[in-house]
Amino acid sequence: MLSVEGIGKSFGGIDAVKDVTFTVDPGSITAIIGPNGAGKSTLFNLIAGAMKPTAGRIRLHGEDVTGLAAHEMARRGVARTFQTTQLFAEDSVLDNVITACRLRTRSHLWDALLRTPRLRHEANMLRERAMAALAFAGVESLADRPAGTLSQEAQKRVAIAMCVATEPKLVLLDEIAGGLNPEETARVIQLIRKLVEHGHTVCFVEHKMRMVMQLADKVVVIHHGRKIAEGAPNAVSRDPAVIEAYLGGNSVVAGV
Ligand SMILES: Nc1ncnc2c1ncn2[C@@H]1O[C@H](COP(=O)(O)OP(=O)(O)O)[C@@H](O)[C@H]1O
Ligand SMILES: [Mg+2]
């Protein structure tokens, strides 16, 4: 589904991501792990079209999509959550999902440019799609609540609903369980499994090793912008290079 080939991103001569290659199979769950500042979020920004790579190629279903803008990637079925959930606090949860869907796919541009008779019909469709996405994420009942009143877990669920509303093939989750307690994390893990059951492919950045071990079919380890290991969770957690580089020699990964 996704092929990242020798991708690189440098900021003023400093390599945030350097020569990273991996593939993501349809229907799979891939975890991207690595210490703070390793380049994980930058990698997601490159895949989602938020940043243009300075080297390498990205292919989606075989199509070369390197350097395409975020809305073009969204239209091709790539959705992502941000490390810090960004909601309009005063707006309702439903309006937040609708706005995200319009912004991400730029359907608002078409609305503005082509005032077609179908406009109202499209607005209704978008609303229905947003409600369905909230229901999928288990937060339908919060649709009319101001987004600023939500719990951490509900915010994460809404962030996932914002992805689902764009009808993605590939969902990128950037530390979706950050700030959640173990019970909340377990419920979010269930929701990620549900994404895959419903035909989405998932790629997630995560620090919670238990979650990585439970969910991932494949783990890609990034250190100083480079891929240092890739494989099944059990194999990667025993990889001496990973234990040394990623954990500074202690055995947190192995000890999950
Ligand atoms: N927009 C940017 N401009 C300059 N440097 C950046 C930018 N975004 C990220 N970086 C740098 O790239 C490196 C990787 O950051 P990031 O991808 O956020 O790491 P991670 O998500 O793994 O913690 C860091 O050194 C960070 O300071
Ligand atoms: Mg990050």
Side-chain angles (χ1 to χ4, degrees):
M1 146 159 299
L2 175 73
S3 169
V4 175
E5 301 166 8
I7 206 78
K9 177 72 183 176
S10 68
F11 296 107
I14 294 163
D15 292 320
V17 172
K18 177 87 173 165
D19 197 24
V20 170
T21 296
F22 66 97
T23 57
V24 172
D25 293 333
S28 68
I29 305 185
T30 303
I32 313 281
I33 68 169
N36 279 329
K40 307 179 299 295
S41 292
T42 302
L43 188 56
F44 269 13
N45 284 330
L46 295 172
I47 297 168
M51 289 176 179
K52 287 189 201 299
T54 44
R57 315 239 48 100
I58 297 173
R59 268 177 247 280
L60 195 65
H61 299 293
E63 183 196 2
D64 189 338
V65 294
T66 316
L68 290 188
H71 69 275
E72 292 171 308
M73 293 306 286
R75 285 185 178 180
R76 280 168 176 76
V78 177
R80 58 93 60 92
T81 64
F82 293 86
Q83 195 167 341
T84 312
T85 313
Q86 297 158 327
L87 300 174
F88 295 107
E90 316 274 302
D91 290 355
S92 74
V93 166
L94 178 61
D95 283 344
N96 266 278
V97 178
I98 290 172
T99 303
C101 200
R102 291 163 77 106
L103 287 173
R104 290 174 182 202
T105 59
R106 292 263 173 107
S107 59
H108 65 299
L109 276 189
W110 296 104
D111 289 355
L113 293 172
L114 317 162
R115 294 234 155 242
T116 68
R118 289 188 309 174
L119 196 61
R120 182 192 295 267
H121 174 65
E122 283 170 10
N124 284 337
M125 282 210 348
L126 195 51
R127 193 185 166 81
E128 277 170 28
R129 219 204 276 176
M131 277 308 292
L134 287 169
F136 179 92
V139 281
E140 198 179 9
S141 65
L142 305 178
D144 297 327
R145 287 260 299 269
T149 66
L150 298 184
S151 70
Q152 278 284 328
E153 181 185 349
Q155 287 180 42
K156 308 292 185 169
R157 288 176 179 272
V158 171
I160 290 175
M162 286 170 160
C163 290
V164 170
T166 67
E167 300 180 338
K169 296 185 182 80
L170 175 64
V171 181
L172 310 173
L173 304 172
D174 197 347
E175 298 194 30
I176 192 75
L180 299 185
N181 69 31
E183 293 73 34
E184 293 165 336
T185 300
R187 289 193 293 265
V188 166
I189 287 173
Q190 290 312 310
L191 181 53
I192 295 171
R193 290 221 167 91
K194 187 175 168 187
L195 280 171
V196 174
E197 280 160 19
H198 283 73
H200 304 284
T201 301
V202 172
C203 201
F204 72 107
V205 165
E206 195 49 68
H207 281 302
K208 295 183 173 174
M209 283 309 135
R210 190 181 296 274
M211 180 169 164
V212 171
M213 300 301 281
Q214 281 179 20
L215 270 179
D217 299 305
K218 176 161 89 177
V219 182
V220 174
V221 188
I222 309 287
H223 187 49
H224 296 316
R226 291 174 180 273
K227 182 179 83 174
I228 59 161
E230 174 179 6
N234 279 320
V236 164
S237 71
R238 287 194 295 265
D239 187 319
V242 174
I243 293 168
E244 176 58 32
Y246 176 62
L247 298 156
N250 72 42
S251 60
V252 175
V253 166
V256 292

